[in-house]
Amino acid sequence: MRGKKILLLVFGVLLVTAGILSPYYLKNNKETVYQRETVEFKVNEKPKPLTLPSQTPLVKHHLDKNGIIVAYLPDGKEVYNVFEIATQAMEGEKVLGFIKNNNKTKNVIPFVPREEEDGKLSDMQVLALRWLENNGKKIEDGLIWEYKFDNAYNDVQVKAPWPSAFGQAHVIKAFLSAYKETKQEKYKELAIKTAYTYDIPIKKGGFKSILQDGSVFFEEVPTEKPTHILNGHMISTVALLELTRITDNKKIKRLASQGLETIKKYIDLYDTGYWSKYDLNPKKGEIILRVAFDDKNMNNNPVMSIDKITFQDMQTGKEVILDIGREDDFSGAWRISGSDWLSSLDNDKAGRILIDGRNRNKQPVKGGTTMNTYIIMQLPEWETKLKQLEKPFDVKVNIRYQDLQRKDIKVQIQNINQGNYLDFIDIPDAKWRTTGDKKWKSYEFVIPSKHLGWYMGVDYQKYHIRLLEELYQFTNDLFFMDIAERWRTYLETYSENDK
């Protein structure tokens, strides 16, 4: 259900605390009846949220004295972005359109001593190609280009210097473009040496990770615990496939084949059913759920009193428990939020009433929606491993409540295509009907790991579609086109709803 968009004020990664007493329930049933349980607790036991690392935007650019595009970090430091320089090598003067807010130079392109073999390459292309030739680092039988600045995205950090499959792919494409334009063999050989580094694992200075079944993933941001960024792997596979068109090199053909195999095996993990995911790194905190109502029976009577919500890691069994009915229900890392949570039902503060706000909120309330029953949770302590792709990170949720009214209930989760705005998608199997029998019960469901992703905007959705279309063009495999069309449908649905 799409409500009025509301700007979120907080966004963080949270830590686990010691568990509280677990409720008694029968594990064989989704919905079970409780014997009433009294739990002692202390206020302000909740953990404090961790602040996300400062992200790494490259917001300003200019040309250095050698005519190479340079980016600024937020602290004003100038850095060279391999991807951007490779783009300059392919696009030439077009990159000037990326350069804004220039305060350093007049963006004057220096004199370029040219060679006859440079052909129709522009001066800016030649300058960028020479920078790439001079700044590649020899590693085993290949060349690799490193980023000389620390990087952070979401909750992932990597220290300089670090290579990237994404940047490396664009270097391959830059040398291939120069080879096609000039027919100089040196560019073909440089492209081949650039491709060889796709066979070097992260521990040896490369960006290849090995999955549990032996599959290969080309990591855009290589870390000890890789996050498997989809577009970085796909553009790498596209670049390798493009290179196979001008060389019969067996090693490069094997790498391209491995890239394709991984995509076909694992791309379903990136499909949420309404959007694609940027990577497989789960959002660990500020997971926003909403208790919603699916029937036409709207009144101001209490629907239920929720006493406890448990998140359980299905791999490790570790739990995070939100005990509701406390003085600090609306604060802290684990909390409830929204005007449709009322006071507790009993004097002993066991649980808190919620109502169906649609009856009194004919229009979305200011700063909210028509149903304002939010639950903000975190994942249990997350101990991912390098070979984690084959084990989706699903979370079991148990809601303990007192049944106060006959109602169709569903639990929703914030979707990943709205970023800092609230919008919700139904959680599969998180739907049940209450009866109003006043008994204490629990309902259990699973949040699939594909619904625990970070925000990913429209531009990346379009980019995923474009890369799938390119994979189809290289392989004639309808598998890739079918997924591209499905993800395009997601994009069209989003665009229509967003109106």
Side-chain angles (χ1 to χ4, degrees):
M1 178 176 293
R2 184 173 293 270
K4 182 181 179 182
K5 298 174 181 176
I6 59 177
L7 185 62
L8 299 180
L9 299 179
V10 288
F11 186 71
V13 181
L14 314 176
L15 291 174
V16 70
T17 61
I20 309 173
L21 290 174
S22 297
Y24 306 113
Y25 63 90
L26 303 176
K27 294 186 177 180
N28 293 331
N29 299 325
K30 272 195 167 184
E31 186 174 18
T32 57
V33 179
Y34 279 95
Q35 181 178 3
R36 185 60 174 277
E37 173 192 349
T38 301
V39 178
E40 296 294 333
F41 62 85
K42 296 179 180 179
V43 177
N44 298 323
E45 287 179 334
K46 299 177 184 178
K48 295 180 180 180
L50 289 179
T51 304
L52 284 176
S54 297
Q55 307 295 284
T56 314
L58 302 176
V59 292
K60 297 181 180 180
H61 297 80
H62 74 99
L63 296 183
D64 71 3
K65 64 180 181 180
N66 297 314
I68 302 298
I69 188 169
V70 174
Y72 294 97
L73 292 175
D75 62 3
K77 180 182 178 181
E78 297 180 357
V79 294
Y80 293 96
N81 184 319
V82 177
F83 157 69
E84 292 176 346
I85 297 171
T87 301
Q88 177 181 332
M90 290 183 279
E91 302 292 339
E93 280 71 12
K94 291 182 181 179
V95 301
L96 294 175
F98 299 144
I99 299 176
K100 298 178 181 179
N101 302 320
N102 169 49
N103 296 313
K104 291 279 185 175
T105 74
K106 296 181 180 180
N107 293 322
V108 176
I109 302 172
F111 172 73
V112 182
R114 297 176 61 89
E115 300 176 3
E116 185 176 348
E117 293 83 358
D118 290 333
K120 297 181 180 180
L121 294 175
S122 71
D123 287 352
M124 284 195 68
Q125 287 177 299
V126 172
L127 290 169
L129 285 166
R130 290 178 183 171
W131 187 95
L132 291 173
E133 289 182 62
N134 294 330
N135 286 275
K137 174 183 174 182
K138 293 182 179 180
I139 180 170
E140 295 186 6
D141 55 353
L143 290 171
I144 204 165
W145 284 259
E146 293 178 328
Y147 290 79
K148 302 299 177 65
F149 55 89
D150 297 345
N151 182 54
Y153 84 96
N154 296 333
D155 63 349
V156 178
Q157 299 182 73
V158 61
K159 294 292 185 180
W162 54 281
S164 171
F166 180 85
Q168 199 84 355
H170 286 85
V171 175
I172 291 176
K173 293 172 76 69
F175 286 140
L176 278 177
S177 177
Y179 172 71
K180 292 173 183 177
E181 180 63 38
T182 67
K183 304 304 179 185
Q184 290 190 59
E185 283 295 319
K186 72 171 183 177
Y187 290 127
K188 177 180 176 180
E189 293 304 314
L190 284 167
I192 291 172
K193 288 184 177 180
T194 305
Y196 281 169
T197 55
Y198 279 89
D199 210 22
I200 300 175
I202 293 173
K203 290 183 178 180
K204 294 186 177 181
F207 39 73
K208 180 180 77 170
S209 65
I210 308 297
L211 309 183
Q212 191 169 21
D213 65 351
S215 298
V216 168
F217 203 101
F218 306 129
E219 302 290 347
E220 180 172 340
V221 180
T223 58
E224 182 182 354
K225 299 175 181 178
T227 56
H228 312 308
I229 298 173
L230 180 59
N231 79 80
H233 180 85
M234 287 203 294
I235 187 61
S236 297
T237 304
V238 167
L240 292 168
L241 287 168
E242 187 175 353
L243 187 53
T244 62
R245 289 189 167 181
I246 65 165
T247 178
D248 289 326
N249 189 292
K250 292 182 179 179
K251 184 174 184 177
I252 294 172
K253 287 185 174 182
R254 171 176 57 80
L255 291 167
S257 178
Q258 289 174 331
L260 288 170
E261 182 181 4
T262 297
I263 297 169
K264 296 186 75 170
K265 279 186 178 181
Y266 294 109
I267 198 165
D268 183 59
L269 295 180
Y270 296 86
D271 193 329
T272 67
Y274 67 93
W275 206 244
S276 61
K277 292 178 64 174
Y278 182 75
D279 62 14
L280 294 183
N281 177 40
K283 185 180 179 184
K284 303 167 189 70
E286 291 298 296
I287 299 169
I288 303 177
L289 307 181
R290 179 170 69 171
V291 181
F293 309 102
D294 232 3
D295 56 6
K296 297 180 180 179
N297 176 27
M298 294 182 286
N299 58 63
N300 291 329
N301 298 325
V303 176
M304 60 174 61
S305 176
I306 295 183
D307 176 63
K308 189 174 295 185
I309 299 171
T310 303
F311 267 37
Q312 183 186 64
D313 178 344
M314 295 181 68
Q315 291 184 18
T316 67
K318 293 182 178 180
E319 294 182 344
V320 166
I321 301 175
L322 173 60
D323 192 1
I324 301 174
R326 303 161 51 128
E327 296 177 17
D328 58 354
D329 280 348
F330 292 90
S331 63
W334 315 333
R335 64 193 183 277
I336 58 176
S337 180
S339 58
D340 297 333
W341 289 95
L342 305 183
S343 61
S344 60
L345 181 64
D346 299 316
N347 292 330
D348 64 1
K349 301 286 185 182
R352 189 177 288 269
I353 294 171
L354 57 84
I355 64 172
D356 184 349
R358 294 176 298 172
N359 187 53
R360 62 178 184 174
N361 305 324
K362 302 301 182 183
Q363 298 294 327
V365 301
K366 184 177 181 180
T369 65
T370 57
M371 291 185 289
N372 301 283
T373 46
Y374 309 116
I375 301 165
I376 294 88
M377 291 292 288
Q378 70 174 33
L379 296 185
E381 185 175 359
W382 191 59
E383 296 179 349
T384 186
K385 298 180 180 179
L386 179 63
K387 303 173 182 178
Q388 195 244 339
L389 248 181
E390 290 185 332
K391 295 182 179 180
F393 188 79
D394 297 342
V395 174
K396 184 185 294 184
V397 180
N398 185 282
I399 297 179
R400 167 181 153 153
Y401 66 97
Q402 186 176 21
D403 188 334
L404 301 177
Q405 183 184 159
R406 184 178 179 86
K407 204 80 170 169
D408 290 329
I409 312 293
K410 63 182 179 181
V411 181
Q412 302 171 310
I413 190 168
Q414 183 188 18
N415 72 26
I416 65 172
N417 59 19
Q418 285 293 353
N420 290 336
Y421 295 92
L422 278 183
D423 193 28
F424 292 92
I425 193 78
D426 292 351
I427 299 172
D429 300 325
K431 297 182 180 181
W432 74 101
R433 174 170 288 184
T434 54
T435 64
D437 61 9
K438 306 301 187 292
K439 293 181 180 180
W440 284 90
K441 305 175 181 179
S442 73
Y443 189 81
E444 193 172 89
F445 58 90
V446 173
I447 303 178
S449 58
K450 61 179 59 181
H451 289 300
L452 295 170
W454 297 80
Y455 164 70
M456 191 193 79
V458 170
D459 287 343
Y460 274 109
Q461 181 74 6
K462 292 178 179 178
Y463 188 43
H464 284 170
I465 294 168
R466 195 186 91 192
L467 291 174
L468 286 165
E469 291 173 339
E470 291 185 23
L471 289 168
Y472 168 72
Q473 292 170 3
F474 279 107
T475 64
N476 291 319
D477 189 336
L478 287 174
F479 173 87
F480 299 108
M481 185 54 69
D482 288 344
I483 296 173
E485 290 176 354
R486 187 196 316 157
W487 288 6
R488 187 178 296 107
T489 300
Y490 297 163
L491 184 62
E492 292 169 352
T493 300
Y494 166 88
S495 299
E496 183 63 28
N497 290 339
D498 206 43
K499 293 178 182 178

